Coordinates of all heavy atoms in Angstrom, one line a residue:
N422 N 80.3 122.3 89.6 CA 80.3 123.0 88.3 C 80.1 124.5 88.5 O 80.4 125.3 87.5 CB 79.3 122.4 87.3 CG 79.7 121.0 86.9 OD1 80.9 120.7 86.9 ND2 78.7 120.2 86.5
T423 N 79.6 124.9 89.6 CA 79.3 126.4 89.8 C 80.4 127.1 90.6 O 80.4 128.3 90.7 CB 78.0 126.5 90.6 OG1 78.2 126.0 91.9 CG2 76.9 125.8 89.9
L424 N 81.4 126.3 91.1 CA 82.4 126.9 91.9 C 83.5 127.6 91.1 O 83.8 127.1 90.0 CB 83.1 125.8 92.8 CG 82.2 125.1 93.9 CD1 83.0 124.0 94.5 CD2 81.8 126.2 94.9
P425 N 84.1 128.6 91.5 CA 85.0 129.4 90.7 C 86.4 128.7 90.7 O 86.8 128.0 91.6 CB 85.1 130.8 91.4 CG 84.8 130.4 92.9 CD 83.8 129.3 92.8
S426 N 87.2 129.1 89.7 CA 88.6 128.7 89.7 C 89.4 129.5 90.7 O 89.1 130.6 91.1 CB 89.2 128.9 88.3 OG 88.6 128.1 87.3
I427 N 90.5 128.8 91.2 CA 91.4 129.5 92.1 C 92.7 129.7 91.3 O 93.2 128.7 90.7 CB 91.7 128.7 93.4 CG1 90.3 128.7 94.2 CG2 92.8 129.4 94.2 CD1 90.4 127.9 95.4
I428 N 93.2 130.9 91.2 CA 94.2 131.3 90.2 C 95.5 131.5 91.0 O 95.6 132.4 91.9 CB 93.9 132.5 89.4 CG1 92.6 132.1 88.6 CG2 95.0 132.9 88.4 CD1 92.0 133.3 87.8
F429 N 96.6 130.8 90.7 CA 97.9 131.1 91.2 C 98.7 131.9 90.1 O 98.9 131.4 89.0 CB 98.6 129.7 91.5 CG 98.1 129.0 92.6 CD1 96.9 128.2 92.4 CD2 98.7 129.0 93.9 CE1 96.4 127.5 93.5 CE2 98.1 128.3 94.9 CZ 97.0 127.5 94.7
T430 N 99.1 133.1 90.5 CA 99.9 133.9 89.5 C 101.3 133.7 89.9 O 101.8 134.1 91.0 CB 99.4 135.4 89.6 OG1 98.0 135.4 89.3 CG2 100.2 136.2 88.6
I431 N 102.1 133.2 88.9 CA 103.5 132.9 89.1 C 104.3 133.5 88.0 O 104.1 133.3 86.9 CB 103.7 131.4 89.1 CG1 102.8 130.7 90.2 CG2 105.2 131.0 89.4 CD1 102.9 129.1 90.1
N432 N 105.2 134.4 88.4 CA 106.1 135.1 87.5 C 105.3 135.8 86.4 O 105.6 135.8 85.2 CB 107.1 134.1 86.8 CG 108.4 134.8 86.3 OD1 108.8 135.8 86.8 ND2 108.9 134.2 85.3
G433 N 104.2 136.4 86.8 CA 103.3 137.2 85.9 C 102.4 136.4 85.1 O 101.6 137.0 84.3
I434 N 102.3 135.1 85.2 CA 101.5 134.2 84.4 C 100.4 133.6 85.3 O 100.7 133.1 86.4 CB 102.3 133.1 83.7 CG1 103.4 133.6 82.9 CG2 101.3 132.2 82.9 CD1 102.9 134.5 81.7
N435 N 99.1 133.6 84.9 CA 98.0 133.0 85.6 C 98.0 131.5 85.4 O 98.0 131.1 84.2 CB 96.7 133.7 85.3 CG 96.6 135.1 85.8 OD1 97.3 135.5 86.7 ND2 95.8 135.9 85.1
Y436 N 97.8 130.7 86.5 CA 97.7 129.3 86.4 C 96.4 128.9 87.1 O 96.4 128.7 88.3 CB 98.9 128.6 87.0 CG 100.2 128.8 86.3 CD1 101.0 129.9 86.6 CD2 100.5 128.0 85.2 CE1 102.2 130.1 85.9 CE2 101.7 128.2 84.5 CZ 102.5 129.3 84.9 OH 103.7 129.5 84.2
P437 N 95.2 128.9 86.4 CA 94.0 128.6 87.0 C 93.9 127.1 87.5 O 94.3 126.2 86.8 CB 92.9 128.9 85.9 CG 93.7 129.7 84.9 CD 95.1 129.3 85.0
V438 N 93.3 126.9 88.6 CA 93.0 125.6 89.1 C 91.5 125.5 89.2 O 90.9 126.0 90.2 CB 93.6 125.3 90.5 CG1 93.3 123.8 90.9 CG2 95.2 125.4 90.3
P439 N 90.8 124.9 88.3 CA 89.3 124.9 88.3 C 88.8 123.9 89.4 O 89.5 123.1 89.9 CB 88.9 124.4 86.9 CG 90.1 123.6 86.5 CD 91.3 124.3 87.1
A440 N 87.5 124.1 89.7 CA 86.9 123.3 90.7 C 86.9 121.8 90.4 O 87.1 121.0 91.3 CB 85.4 123.7 90.9
R441 N 86.8 121.4 89.1 CA 86.9 120.0 88.8 C 88.3 119.4 89.1 O 88.4 118.2 89.2 CB 86.7 119.8 87.3 CG 87.6 120.6 86.4 CD 87.4 120.3 84.9 NE 88.2 121.2 84.1 CZ 89.5 121.0 83.8 NH1 90.1 120.0 84.4 NH2 90.2 121.8 83.0
A442 N 89.3 120.3 89.3 CA 90.6 119.8 89.7 C 90.8 119.8 91.2 O 91.4 118.9 91.8 CB 91.7 120.6 89.1
Y443 N 90.2 120.9 91.9 CA 90.5 120.9 93.4 C 89.4 120.3 94.2 O 89.5 120.3 95.4 CB 90.8 122.4 93.8 CG 89.6 123.4 93.7 CD1 88.5 123.3 94.6 CD2 89.6 124.4 92.8 CE1 87.5 124.3 94.6 CE2 88.6 125.4 92.7 CZ 87.6 125.3 93.6 OH 86.6 126.2 93.6
I444 N 88.4 119.8 93.6 CA 87.4 119.0 94.3 C 87.6 117.5 94.0 O 87.6 117.1 92.8 CB 85.9 119.3 93.9 CG1 85.6 120.8 94.2 CG2 84.9 118.4 94.6 CD1 85.7 121.2 95.7
L445 N 87.8 116.7 95.1 CA 88.1 115.3 94.9 C 86.9 114.5 95.5 O 86.0 115.1 96.2 CB 89.4 114.9 95.7 CG 90.6 115.7 95.2 CD1 91.8 115.4 96.1 CD2 90.9 115.5 93.8
K446 N 86.9 113.2 95.3 CA 85.9 112.3 95.9 C 86.5 111.3 96.8 O 87.6 110.7 96.5 CB 85.1 111.6 94.8 CG 84.1 112.6 94.1 CD 83.2 111.8 93.1 CE 82.2 112.7 92.4 NZ 81.3 112.0 91.5
D447 N 85.8 111.0 98.0 CA 86.3 110.0 98.9 C 85.8 108.6 98.5 O 85.2 108.5 97.4 CB 86.0 110.3 100.3 CG 84.5 110.4 100.6 OD1 83.7 109.9 99.8 OD2 84.1 110.9 101.7
S448 N 86.0 107.6 99.3 CA 85.6 106.3 99.0 C 84.1 106.1 98.8 O 83.6 105.1 98.2 CB 86.1 105.3 100.0 OG 85.6 105.6 101.3
E449 N 83.3 107.0 99.4 CA 81.9 107.0 99.3 C 81.3 108.0 98.3 O 80.1 108.3 98.3 CB 81.2 107.2 100.7 CG 81.7 106.1 101.7 CD 81.1 106.4 103.1 OE1 80.6 107.6 103.3 OE2 81.1 105.5 103.9
S450 N 82.2 108.5 97.5 CA 81.8 109.4 96.4 C 81.3 110.8 96.9 O 80.6 111.5 96.3 CB 80.8 108.8 95.4 OG 81.4 107.7 94.7
H451 N 81.7 111.1 98.2 CA 81.4 112.4 98.7 C 82.5 113.4 98.3 O 83.7 113.0 98.2 CB 81.3 112.4 100.2 CG 80.2 111.6 100.7 ND1 80.2 110.9 101.9 CD2 79.0 111.3 100.1 CE1 79.1 110.2 102.1 NE2 78.3 110.4 101.0
C452 N 82.2 114.6 98.0 CA 83.2 115.6 97.4 C 83.8 116.4 98.6 O 83.2 116.9 99.5 CB 82.5 116.5 96.5 SG 81.9 115.7 94.9
Y453 N 85.1 116.6 98.5 CA 85.9 117.4 99.4 C 87.0 118.2 98.7 O 87.3 117.8 97.5 CB 86.5 116.5 100.5 CG 87.6 115.6 100.1 CD1 88.9 115.9 100.2 CD2 87.3 114.3 99.5 CE1 89.9 115.1 99.8 CE2 88.3 113.5 99.1 CZ 89.6 113.8 99.2 OH 90.6 113.0 98.8
T454 N 87.5 119.2 99.3 CA 88.5 120.1 98.6 C 89.9 119.5 98.8 O 90.2 118.8 99.7 CB 88.4 121.5 99.2 OG1 89.0 121.5 100.5 CG2 87.0 122.0 99.2
A455 N 90.7 119.9 97.8 CA 92.1 119.5 97.8 C 93.0 120.4 98.6 O 94.3 120.3 98.5 CB 92.6 119.3 96.4
F456 N 92.5 121.4 99.3 CA 93.3 122.4 100.0 C 93.4 121.8 101.5 O 92.4 121.4 102.1 CB 92.6 123.7 100.0 CG 92.7 124.4 98.7 CD1 91.7 124.3 97.8 CD2 93.8 125.1 98.3 CE1 91.7 124.8 96.5 CE2 93.9 125.7 97.0 CZ 92.9 125.6 96.1
K457 N 94.6 121.9 102.0 CA 94.9 121.4 103.3 C 96.0 122.2 104.0 O 96.8 122.8 103.3 CB 95.3 119.9 103.2 CG 95.4 119.2 104.6 CD 95.6 117.7 104.4 CE 95.5 117.0 105.7 NZ 95.7 115.5 105.5
E458 N 95.9 122.2 105.3 CA 96.9 123.0 106.1 C 98.3 122.4 105.9 O 98.5 121.2 105.9 CB 96.5 123.0 107.5 CG 97.5 123.6 108.4 CD 97.3 123.4 109.9 OE1 96.2 122.7 110.2 OE2 98.1 123.8 110.8
N459 N 99.3 123.3 105.7 CA 100.7 122.8 105.7 C 101.2 122.8 107.1 O 101.2 123.9 107.8 CB 101.5 123.8 104.8 CG 103.0 123.4 104.8 OD1 103.3 122.3 105.2 ND2 103.8 124.4 104.3
T460 N 101.5 121.7 107.6 CA 101.8 121.5 109.0 C 103.3 122.0 109.3 O 103.7 122.1 110.5 CB 101.7 120.1 109.5 OG1 102.4 119.2 108.7 CG2 100.2 119.7 109.5
V461 N 104.1 122.2 108.3 CA 105.4 122.7 108.5 C 105.4 124.2 108.7 O 105.0 124.9 107.8 CB 106.3 122.3 107.3 CG1 107.7 122.8 107.5 CG2 106.4 120.8 107.1
R462 N 105.8 124.6 109.8 CA 105.8 126.1 110.1 C 107.1 126.8 109.5 O 108.2 126.3 109.7 CB 105.8 126.3 111.6 CG 104.5 125.7 112.3 CD 103.3 126.5 111.9 NE 102.1 126.0 112.6 CZ 101.2 125.2 112.0 NH1 101.4 124.8 110.8 NH2 100.2 124.7 112.6
T463 N 106.9 127.9 108.8 CA 108.0 128.7 108.3 C 107.8 130.1 108.6 O 106.6 130.5 109.0 CB 108.1 128.5 106.8 OG1 106.9 129.0 106.2 CG2 108.3 127.1 106.4
S464 N 108.8 130.9 108.5 CA 108.7 132.3 108.8 C 108.0 133.1 107.7 O 107.5 134.2 107.9 CB 110.1 132.9 109.1 OG 110.9 132.7 107.9
R465 N 107.9 132.5 106.5 CA 107.3 133.2 105.4 C 106.0 132.4 105.0 O 105.9 131.2 105.3 CB 108.2 133.2 104.2 CG 109.5 134.1 104.5 CD 110.4 134.1 103.3 NE 110.9 132.7 103.0 CZ 112.0 132.2 103.7 NH1 112.6 132.9 104.6 NH2 112.4 131.0 103.4
E466 N 105.1 133.0 104.3 CA 104.0 132.3 103.8 C 104.4 131.3 102.7 O 104.9 131.7 101.7 CB 103.0 133.3 103.2 CG 101.7 132.7 102.6 CD 100.7 133.6 102.0 OE1 100.8 134.8 102.3 OE2 99.9 133.2 101.2
T467 N 104.2 130.1 103.0 CA 104.7 129.0 102.1 C 103.5 128.1 101.7 O 102.8 127.6 102.6 CB 105.8 128.2 102.8 OG1 106.9 129.1 103.1 CG2 106.3 127.1 101.8
W468 N 103.5 127.8 100.4 CA 102.5 126.8 99.9 C 103.2 125.7 99.3 O 104.4 125.7 98.9 CB 101.6 127.5 98.8 CG 100.7 128.6 99.4 CD1 101.0 129.8 99.8 CD2 99.3 128.4 99.7 NE1 100.0 130.5 100.4 CE2 98.9 129.6 100.3 CE3 98.4 127.4 99.5 CZ2 97.6 129.8 100.7 CZ3 97.1 127.6 99.9 CH2 96.7 128.8 100.5
I469 N 102.5 124.5 99.1 CA 103.0 123.4 98.4 C 102.1 123.1 97.3 O 100.9 122.8 97.5 CB 103.1 122.2 99.4 CG1 104.1 122.4 100.5 CG2 103.6 120.9 98.6 CD1 104.2 121.3 101.5
L470 N 102.6 123.1 96.1 CA 101.8 122.8 94.9 C 102.1 121.4 94.5 O 103.1 121.0 93.9 CB 102.2 123.7 93.7 CG 102.0 125.2 94.0 CD1 102.5 126.0 92.8 CD2 100.6 125.5 94.3
G471 N 101.1 120.5 94.9 CA 101.2 119.1 94.7 C 100.6 118.6 93.4 O 100.4 119.4 92.5
D472 N 100.2 117.4 93.4 CA 99.7 116.7 92.2 C 98.4 117.3 91.7 O 98.1 117.3 90.5 CB 99.5 115.2 92.4 CG 100.8 114.5 92.8 OD1 101.9 115.1 92.5 OD2 100.7 113.4 93.4
V473 N 97.6 117.9 92.5 CA 96.3 118.6 92.1 C 96.7 119.7 91.1 O 96.0 119.9 90.1 CB 95.6 119.2 93.3 CG1 94.5 120.1 92.8 CG2 95.0 118.0 94.1
F474 N 97.7 120.4 91.4 CA 98.2 121.5 90.5 C 99.0 120.9 89.3 O 98.8 121.3 88.1 CB 99.1 122.4 91.2 CG 99.7 123.6 90.4 CD1 99.0 124.8 90.3 CD2 100.9 123.5 89.8 CE1 99.5 125.8 89.6 CE2 101.4 124.5 89.1 CZ 100.7 125.7 88.9
L475 N 99.8 119.9 89.5 CA 100.7 119.4 88.5 C 100.0 118.5 87.5 O 100.5 118.2 86.4 CB 101.8 118.6 89.1 CG 102.8 119.5 89.9 CD1 103.8 118.6 90.7 CD2 103.5 120.5 89.0
R476 N 98.8 118.0 87.8 CA 98.0 117.3 86.7 C 97.5 118.3 85.6 O 97.3 117.9 84.5 CB 96.8 116.6 87.4 CG 97.1 115.3 88.0 CD 95.8 114.5 88.3 NE 95.1 115.1 89.4 CZ 95.4 114.8 90.7 NH1 96.4 114.0 91.0 NH2 94.7 115.4 91.7
L477 N 97.4 119.5 86.0 CA 97.0 120.6 85.0 C 98.1 121.1 84.2 O 98.0 121.5 83.1 CB 96.3 121.7 85.8 CG 95.0 121.4 86.6 CD1 94.6 122.6 87.4 CD2 93.9 121.0 85.6
Y478 N 99.3 121.1 84.8 CA 100.5 121.8 84.2 C 101.7 120.9 84.1 O 102.2 120.4 85.2 CB 100.8 123.1 85.0 CG 99.6 124.0 85.0 CD1 98.8 124.1 86.1 CD2 99.3 124.7 83.8 CE1 97.7 125.0 86.1 CE2 98.2 125.6 83.8 CZ 97.4 125.7 84.9 OH 96.3 126.5 84.9
F479 N 102.1 120.6 82.9 CA 103.3 119.9 82.7 C 104.5 120.7 83.3 O 104.6 121.9 83.1 CB 103.5 119.7 81.1 CG 104.7 119.0 80.7 CD1 104.8 117.6 80.6 CD2 105.9 119.7 80.4 CE1 105.9 117.0 80.2 CE2 107.0 119.1 79.9 CZ 107.1 117.7 79.9
S480 N 105.4 120.0 84.0 CA 106.4 120.7 84.7 C 107.8 120.1 84.3 O 108.0 118.9 84.2 CB 106.2 120.5 86.2 OG 106.1 119.1 86.5
V481 N 108.7 121.1 84.1 CA 110.1 120.8 83.8 C 111.0 121.3 84.9 O 110.9 122.5 85.2 CB 110.5 121.4 82.4 CG1 112.0 121.0 82.1 CG2 109.6 120.9 81.3
F482 N 111.9 120.4 85.4 CA 112.8 120.8 86.5 C 114.2 120.9 85.9 O 114.8 119.9 85.5 CB 112.7 119.8 87.6 CG 111.3 119.7 88.3 CD1 110.3 119.0 87.6 CD2 111.1 120.4 89.5 CE1 109.0 119.0 88.2 CE2 109.8 120.3 90.1 CZ 108.8 119.6 89.4
D483 N 114.7 122.1 85.7 CA 115.9 122.4 85.0 C 117.0 122.7 86.0 O 117.2 123.8 86.5 CB 115.7 123.6 84.1 CG 116.9 123.9 83.2 OD1 118.0 123.3 83.4 OD2 116.8 124.7 82.3
R484 N 117.8 121.6 86.3 CA 118.9 121.8 87.2 C 120.1 122.7 86.6 O 120.8 123.3 87.4 CB 119.5 120.4 87.6 CG 118.7 119.7 88.7 CD 118.9 120.4 90.1 NE 120.3 120.4 90.5 CZ 120.9 119.3 91.0 NH1 120.2 118.2 91.3 NH2 122.2 119.4 91.3
G485 N 120.2 122.7 85.3 CA 121.3 123.4 84.7 C 121.1 124.9 84.8 O 122.1 125.7 84.9

Side-chain angles (χ1 to χ4, degrees):
N422 292 334
T423 68
L424 294 175
S426 295
I427 295 176
I428 299 172
F429 291 79
T430 304
I431 303 172
N432 204 28
I434 304 294
N435 289 337
Y436 296 91
V438 180
R441 58 177 172 78
Y443 68 72
I444 299 297
L445 307 175
K446 288 187 177 181
D447 63 16
S448 59
E449 298 177 346
S450 294
H451 296 150
C452 291
Y453 67 97
T454 71
F456 290 92
K457 192 171 184 180
E458 175 190 356
N459 181 13
T460 57
V461 178
R462 300 287 183 264
T463 62
S464 57
R465 297 177 296 276
E466 181 182 338
T467 302
W468 292 77
I469 300 176
L470 300 180
D472 298 339
V473 167
F474 181 87
L475 294 173
R476 277 192 289 277
L477 299 170
Y478 300 101
F479 179 85
S480 54
V481 182
F482 298 78
D483 184 353
R484 279 287 302 275

